[in-house]
């Protein structure tokens, strides 16, 4: 196996830093793995930031009596509760705050991954590079937010003249901005650092691909209805916690070499627990308009409103039970929201595929010899550590909605229609009229427009 | 301090230096061998017949002649394919895409000595197939609407297209995670990222090229010709007049070549656009005729391709008018981009080759290197043309809009119908009699 660069005498540094970590079962394994690789050139070893103990003083005092393992357990537990409470508070505050939080999480994740890149490649001193990374982040965000604004805030955009121009030439402007960054990159290439610079360029782009595109998919899901945002995230969190619990109490058979702490018992137990949790949570949420209605921008009040007639998906329907369940429970039919059926699909995905996102992140951390992405959250690591499973989920939910739930966004279709040439509009008008008349939706005689 | 390779790298070194692995590795002792790819020895790919014909000449002129002959061959090949029609063009674009992908991935293997990574070649090709499936599916759904409505299995595939593509991609992702081997984690992640960046560059842009093609073959031919012309003109101007170096990255480029190439390209494109705008074959959008099951290129040329009178600004002559195709004005924008920004694509590729210490991407074309070497400037151009078309030329594709309409809920369709009726009525497009007919 070949590494990028030689670094002499790194064994001692790495082990010294690793020993400062809080108790981790994989510690021994990582050290072994590290020393195996030390024999070959090990530029791979980043300067792992010293694992500072970030736990707030107050917690430290309260838990001073306990042993290290239980103390870690309590710290994680308390922080978990804190994060979940924070999650509920943000939901209560509404869609606007949610979007801002998603944006912040995205920026923080981007920052964490880019910082790892810097550490891996010792490229703090590359000319221009930090500026360029942030610039590309801005460009891609501008592109995506512009598309979102154009799709969902159509009337607002039509009203304001500068917004209209920005929206009409949006792709061109975004492309021009990106090209400027590209040219800056080419002009910044310095003779001795070509390879490093290309690596950082590639690193930045892959990070943008992962982090930014999916945070925008999350926002699209959010606009569909807050329930499409809350339920998937909750399913993933629940799966994490349940798999951990089941593994803690019943775990015996290891699941995958990559993450030695995961077990089959935890995996399967977590699967069933998550599906049940998903069904119950969707039942609770489907009753409230606040969660179920698409988020819309009200032109008159210039704020987001979540008010509508709930779609069929969120209206109780009777489902006949298969004979097996009939005999067990004695019910003939059961009242469910159709959304609960969909939630089974979502939670199944979260339990089965979500962990792969976690394994990917574990592999990444092992590959670059880091314990955590960062030290932002005490006991948990960085923001990326919490969100690694969420990324696949966000994309899945978006694809799921696009494929099975809704068709295209009607206001977007109108917008495209009005952008066509008049003769094309007429042609479509006639086709549509024929189609609607066939379906019997149009009375045979119409009034003049 | 960076422990990068600090060898005295001279960009002016002659062609052959980088090709010898021995020399490279000798200086690498203090650094990891991963940096030096096993550059394949520069075989002389020139066919025997050419070699015989050019025996007498000195090495420099021989090289010049080989490049010249191959250039002509490629240009003739290009015209031949255009003559053969849209299907052929699409197939060639696909072939070029696969070859470029292969070239870049091979470089990645060499850089990381990762030939023996488990599964990796399979995975790279698998991801290529997935992404291509996704893009071709979107294209087919957009442009072959009538065909799709007819065939039942196609309808199903189109309706759930995104889901199917995503499932295929996920399968590849899971395969990757399961294939992670303890001592090779980093390598595997690098190759994973390398594959994805390559896909991003090569595949998305080849599909933009195909979308441009569907707009009308002229939108495919003119940009590519402009980039080729700029290459050749900048080279010729640099050859005869070149003195001031342009950028340290490519020492052979000069300001004289750059500026001369710019003006020559603008003039060339102006006349070339004039020439092509007259033929329906080039100007009409490529359409799929459901009855004959073939591509048809026949239509009423749009305003862009009908001669209009333009008044010259007073400063040029005394208020003369010229007859121009509006497309020629657009071609000035295209050629300006190709001359000013196109070279940055070339510099990017040069930097890439220097970074990974390769002379050429591959040895496919004698005298020129690999397919990527010829196409490096084209990629930015293809994206630019696509963005240009969507922003300034056409609106959304009408058949796509209709297709989306038919998928909506009936109430939504009705409301859109009414909105459209009011809109058209306002514009006076609806004769009152039409209302009574149905």
């Amino acid at each position: 196996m070949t590494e990028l660069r030689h670094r002499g005498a790194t064994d001692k540094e790495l082990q010294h830093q690793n020993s400062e970590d809080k108790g981790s079962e994989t510690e021994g394994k990582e050290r072994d793995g590290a020393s195996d690789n030390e024999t070959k050139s090990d530029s791979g070893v980043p300067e792992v930031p010293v694992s500072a103990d970030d736990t707030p003083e107050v917690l430290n005092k309260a838990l001073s009596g306990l042993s290290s393992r239980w103390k870690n357990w309590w710290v994680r537990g308390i922080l978990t509760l804190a994060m979940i409470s924070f999650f509920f508070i943000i939901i209560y505050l509404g869609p606007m705050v949610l979007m801002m939080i998603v944006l912040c999480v995205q920026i923080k994740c981007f920052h964490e991954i880019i910082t790892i890149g810097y550490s891996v490649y010792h490229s703090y001193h590359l000319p221009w590079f930090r500026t360029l990374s942030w610039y590309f982040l801005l460009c891609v965000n501008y592109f995506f937010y512009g598309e979102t604004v154009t799709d969902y805030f159509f009337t607002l955009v039509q009203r304001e003249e500068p917004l209209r121009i920005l929206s009409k030439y949006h792709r061109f402007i975004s492309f021009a901005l990106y090209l400027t960054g590209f040219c800056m990159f080419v002009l910044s290439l310095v003779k001795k650092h070509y390879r490093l610079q290309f690596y950082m360029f590639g690193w930045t782009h892959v990070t943008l691909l992962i982090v930014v595109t999916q945070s925008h998919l999350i926002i699209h899901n959010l606009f569909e209805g807050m329930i499409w945002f809350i339920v998937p995230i909750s399913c993933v969190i629940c799966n994490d916690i349940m798999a951990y619990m089941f593994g803690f109490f019943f775990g015996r058979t290891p699941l995958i070499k990559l993450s030695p702490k995961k077990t089959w018992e935890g995996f399967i137990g977590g699967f069933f627990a998550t599906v049940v949790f998903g069904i119950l949570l969707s039942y609770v949420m489907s009753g409230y308009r606040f969660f179920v209605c698409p988020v819309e921008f009200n032109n008159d009040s210039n704020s987001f409103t979540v008010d509508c007639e709930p779609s069929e998906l969120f209206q109780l329907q009777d489902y006949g039970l298969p004979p097996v369940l009939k005999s067990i429970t004695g019910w003939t039919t059961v009242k469910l929201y159709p959304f609960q059926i969909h939630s089974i699909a979502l939670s199944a995905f979260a339990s089965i595929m979500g962990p792969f996102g976690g394994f990917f992140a574990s592999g990444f951390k092992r590959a670059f010899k880091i314990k955590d992405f960062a030290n932002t959250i005490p006991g948990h690591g960085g923001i990326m550590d919490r969100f690694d499973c969420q990324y696949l989920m966000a994309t899945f939910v978006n694809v799921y909605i696009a494929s099975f739930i809704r068709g295209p966004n009607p206001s977007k279709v109108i917008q495209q229609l009005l952008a066509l040439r008049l003769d094309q509009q007429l042609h479509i008008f006639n086709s549509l009229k024929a189609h609607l008349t066939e379906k019997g939706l149009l009375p045979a005689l119409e009034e003049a427009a | 301090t960076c422990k990068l390779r600090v060898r005295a790298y001279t960009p002016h070194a002659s062609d052959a230096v980088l090709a010898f692995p021995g020399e490279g590795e000798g200086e690498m002792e203090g650094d990891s061998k991963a940096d030096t790819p096993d550059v394949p020895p520069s075989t002389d790919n020139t066919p025997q017949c050419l070699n015989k014909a050019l025996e007498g000449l000195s090495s420099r002129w021989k090289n010049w002649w080989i490049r010249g002959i191959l250039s002509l061959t490629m240009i003739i090949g290009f015209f031949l394919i255009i003559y053969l029609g849209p299907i052929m063009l699409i197939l060639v674009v696909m072939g070029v895409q696969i070859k470029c992908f292969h070239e870049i991935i091979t470089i990645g293997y060499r850089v990381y000595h990762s030939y023996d990574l488990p599964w990796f070649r399979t995975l790279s090709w698998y991801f290529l197939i997935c992404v291509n499936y996704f893009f071709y599916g979107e294209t087919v759904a957009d442009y072959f609407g009538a065909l799709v409505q007819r065939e039942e299995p196609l309808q199903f595939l189109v309706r759930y297209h995104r889901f199917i593509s995503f499932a295929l991609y996920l399968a590849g992702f899971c395969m990757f995670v399961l294939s992670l081997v303890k001592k090779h984690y980093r390598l595997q992640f690098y190759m994973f990222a390398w594959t994805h960046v390559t896909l991003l560059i090569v595949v998305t842009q080849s599909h933009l090229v195909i979308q441009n093609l569907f707009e009308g073959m002229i939108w495919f031919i003119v940009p590519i010709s402009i980039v080729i012309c700029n290459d050749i003109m900048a080279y010729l101007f640099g050859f005869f007049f070149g003195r001031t170096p342009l950028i340290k990255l490519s020492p052979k480029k000069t300001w004289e070549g750059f500026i001369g190439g710019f003006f020559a390209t603008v003039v060339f494109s102006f006349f070339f656009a004039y020439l092509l705008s007259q033929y329906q074959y080039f100007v009409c959008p490529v359409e799929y005729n459901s009855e004959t099951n073939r591509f048809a290129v026949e239509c009423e040329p749009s305003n862009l391709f009908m001669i209009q009178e333009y008044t010259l600004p007073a400063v040029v002559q005394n208020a003369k008018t010229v007859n121009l195709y509006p497309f020629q004005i657009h071609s000035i924008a295209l050629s300006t981009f190709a001359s000013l920004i196109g070279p940055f694509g070339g510099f990017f590729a040069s930097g890439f080759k220097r970074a990974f210490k390769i002379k050429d991407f591959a040895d496919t074309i004698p005298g020129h290197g690999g397919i990527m070497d010829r196409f490096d400037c084209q990629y930015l151009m293809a994206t630019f043309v696509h963005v240009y078309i969507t922003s300034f030329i056409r609106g959304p594709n009408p058949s796509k809009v209709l297709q989306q309409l038919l998928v909506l809920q009936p109430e939504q369709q009705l409301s859109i119908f009414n909105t459209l009726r009011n809109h058209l009525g306002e514009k006076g497009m609806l004769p009152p009699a039409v209302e009574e007919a149905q």
Side-chain angles (χ1 to χ4, degrees), chain A residues 23-326:
Chain A
S24 156
E25 285 87 317
T26 59
E27 185 63 304
K29 291 211 170 107
E30 280 192 313
R31 225 174 288 163
D32 286 346
S35 41
D36 276 349
N37 294 329
E38 299 297 49
T39 50
K40 320 258 170 73
S41 76
D42 231 327
S43 59
V45 177
E47 278 160 10
V48 176
V50 175
S51 301
D53 193 1
D54 250 6
T55 336
E57 262 310 303
V58 55
L59 270 180
N60 262 333
K61 280 212 191 114
L63 304 166
S64 47
L66 301 167
S67 76
S68 163
R69 182 155 172 261
W70 280 108
K71 178 175 173 192
N72 190 33
W73 211 93
W74 272 104
V75 169
R76 280 184 78 107
I78 291 177
L79 258 304
T80 308
L81 274 175
M83 289 194 290
I84 293 180
S85 320
F86 183 64
F87 185 45
F88 284 139
I89 293 177
I90 310 171
I91 293 174
Y92 176 74
L93 288 174
M96 195 68 177
V97 177
L98 267 171
M99 286 208 299
M100 315 251 309
I101 300 282
V102 169
L103 182 64
C104 291
V105 166
Q106 174 210 112
I107 293 179
K108 190 70 179 67
C109 288
F110 182 79
H111 177 69
E112 282 179 10
I113 300 183
I114 293 289
T115 311
I116 292 175
Y118 289 150
S119 320
V120 170
Y121 294 112
H122 303 276
S123 55
Y124 280 113
H125 308 300
L126 273 187
W128 283 99
F129 210 80
R130 287 204 227 189
T131 320
L132 274 175
S133 304
W134 289 108
Y135 178 81
F136 281 125
L137 178 69
L138 265 165
C139 279
V140 181
N141 265 318
Y142 174 76
F143 173 69
F144 278 117
Y145 273 109
E147 297 265 309
T148 309
V149 164
T150 314
D151 284 352
Y152 289 97
F153 296 81
F154 182 58
T155 18
L156 172 68
V157 165
Q158 291 298 92
R159 219 169 51 187
E160 312 281 343
E161 186 60 27
L163 280 185
R164 213 171 56 81
I165 295 185
L166 280 182
S167 153
K168 185 155 156 57
Y169 299 110
H170 180 249
R171 287 199 175 181
F172 191 75
I173 297 173
S174 310
F175 185 61
L177 287 174
Y178 177 81
L179 269 190
T180 316
F182 182 83
C183 294
M184 294 297 319
F185 170 71
V186 171
L187 291 173
S188 78
L189 288 173
V190 174
K191 187 161 150 181
K192 296 208 165 61
H193 302 293
Y194 289 145
R195 184 181 283 219
L196 251 198
Q197 291 180 292
F198 273 92
Y199 277 147
M200 287 310 296
F201 188 76
W203 190 287
T204 304
H205 278 69
V206 176
T207 310
L208 284 173
L209 194 71
I210 299 178
V211 173
V212 180
T213 52
Q214 304 203 33
S215 81
H216 281 274
L217 292 180
I218 291 183
I219 292 185
H220 276 257
N221 296 346
L222 185 77
F223 273 106
E224 208 47 39
M226 307 234 297
I227 199 173
W228 291 103
F229 172 79
I230 298 169
V231 167
I233 291 188
S234 312
C235 284
V236 173
I237 296 176
C238 170
N239 184 256
D240 253 356
I241 297 176
M242 289 296 151
Y244 181 75
M245 296 278 183
F246 275 85
F248 190 77
F249 290 118
F250 306 114
R252 243 172 307 138
T253 342
L255 181 60
I256 189 174
K257 276 190 301 238
L258 199 47
S259 287
K261 283 197 266 183
K262 311 277 182 197
T263 58
W264 275 103
E265 290 82 6
F267 184 71
I268 296 180
F271 171 72
F272 285 110
T274 308
V275 170
V276 168
F277 170 80
I279 293 179
L280 294 174
L281 182 70
S282 347
Y283 181 78
V284 168
M285 293 205 133
S286 299
Y288 298 92
R289 277 201 192 166
F290 182 66
F291 297 126
V292 151
C293 292
V295 174
E296 295 193 351
F297 185 76
N298 192 325
N299 291 311
D300 312 303
S301 60
N302 266 7
S303 68
F304 288 106
T305 48
V306 209
D307 217 7
C308 67
E309 191 62 41
S311 80
E312 283 174 4
L313 218 51
F314 302 104
Q315 293 175 356
L316 280 173
Q317 291 180 13
D318 281 325
Y319 287 89
L321 283 177
V324 163
L325 285 177
K326 245 189 261 200

Side-chain angles (χ1 to χ4, degrees), chain A residues 1 3-5 41 44 121 179 191 193-195 198-199 258 360 363-364 367 408 410 416 420 424-425 433 444, chain B residues 3-4 9 32 34-35 112 183 185-186 189-190 249 337 348 351-352 355 396 398 404 408 412 423 434 438:
Chain A
M1 170 179 174
E3 300 290 328
L4 280 177
R5 279 170 271 124
S41 76
Y121 294 112
L179 269 190
K191 187 161 150 181
H193 302 293
Y194 289 145
R195 184 181 283 219
F198 273 92
Y199 277 147
L258 199 47
F360 186 85
F364 180 84
Q416 289 180 320
L420 289 172
Q424 292 168 323
Q425 288 179 3
K433 189 161 71 169
Chain B
K3 295 240 177 179
L4 275 179
Y9 180 94
S32 100
D35 292 344
Y112 295 112
K183 293 210 167 61
Y185 290 147
R186 183 180 285 223
F189 272 92
Y190 278 146
L249 199 46
F337 181 85
F348 187 84
F352 180 84
Q404 286 182 322
L408 288 174
Q412 294 167 322
H423 177 78
V434 173
Q438 303 254 354

Side-chain angles (χ1 to χ4, degrees), chain B residues 285-430:
Chain B
V286 174
E287 297 198 345
Y288 185 75
N289 193 324
S290 320
E291 287 109 51
T292 60
N293 266 7
R294 299 174 54 236
F295 287 105
V297 207
E298 249 178 47
C299 66
E300 189 65 39
S302 80
N303 286 343
L304 219 50
F305 302 103
M306 308 211 302
I307 296 206
Q308 294 179 11
E309 278 190 40
Y310 287 90
T311 337
L312 285 175
V315 82
V316 178
Q317 299 233 0
N318 33 341
K320 247 173 88 161
T321 60
V322 278
N323 285 331
L324 290 177
Y325 291 102
F327 180 72
Q328 291 181 272
I329 315 288
H330 291 296
S331 78
I332 296 180
L334 297 181
S335 45
T336 309
F337 181 85
S339 315
L340 295 180
I341 309 285
F344 278 92
F347 299 150
F348 187 84
S350 291
F352 180 84
K353 287 189 279 193
R354 289 189 198 289
F356 296 100
K357 297 204 174 347
I358 52 181
K359 180 181 183 299
D360 289 319
F361 280 92
D363 274 328
T364 322
I365 311 176
H368 285 269
I371 302 265
M372 259 316 274
D373 288 292
R374 288 302 95 213
F375 283 84
D376 52 22
C377 301
Q378 300 281 1
Y379 280 118
L380 276 183
M381 192 70 195
T383 318
F384 175 75
V385 173
H386 184 82
V387 172
Y388 190 86
I389 292 177
T390 47
S391 298
F392 298 112
I393 309 293
R394 69 160 168 89
N397 182 7
S399 56
K400 183 172 185 180
V401 178
L402 187 59
Q403 184 196 339
Q404 286 182 322
L405 260 181
L406 296 174
V407 173
L408 288 174
Q409 308 279 357
E411 310 87 56
Q412 294 167 322
Q413 288 177 349
L414 206 51
S415 102
I416 290 183
F417 177 77
N418 290 325
T419 314
L420 190 57
R421 188 173 60 180
N422 292 335
H423 177 78
L424 287 175
E426 261 170 52
K427 300 264 176 179
M429 297 283 299
L430 285 181

Side-chain angles (χ1 to χ4, degrees), chain B residues 237-238 241-245 254-257:
Chain B
F237 273 86
F241 307 114
R243 244 172 306 138
T244 343
T254 57
W255 275 102
E256 290 83 6

Side-chain angles (χ1 to χ4, degrees), chain B residues 43-70:
Chain B
T43 50
D44 194 1
N45 247 348
T46 337
Q48 263 309 316
C49 54
L50 269 180
N51 261 332
K52 281 215 189 109
L54 303 166
E55 252 168 2
L57 300 166
S58 75
S59 167
R60 182 159 170 259
W61 280 105
K62 182 174 172 191
N63 192 31
W64 211 92
W65 272 103
I66 292 179
R67 281 185 76 107
I69 292 176
L70 260 304

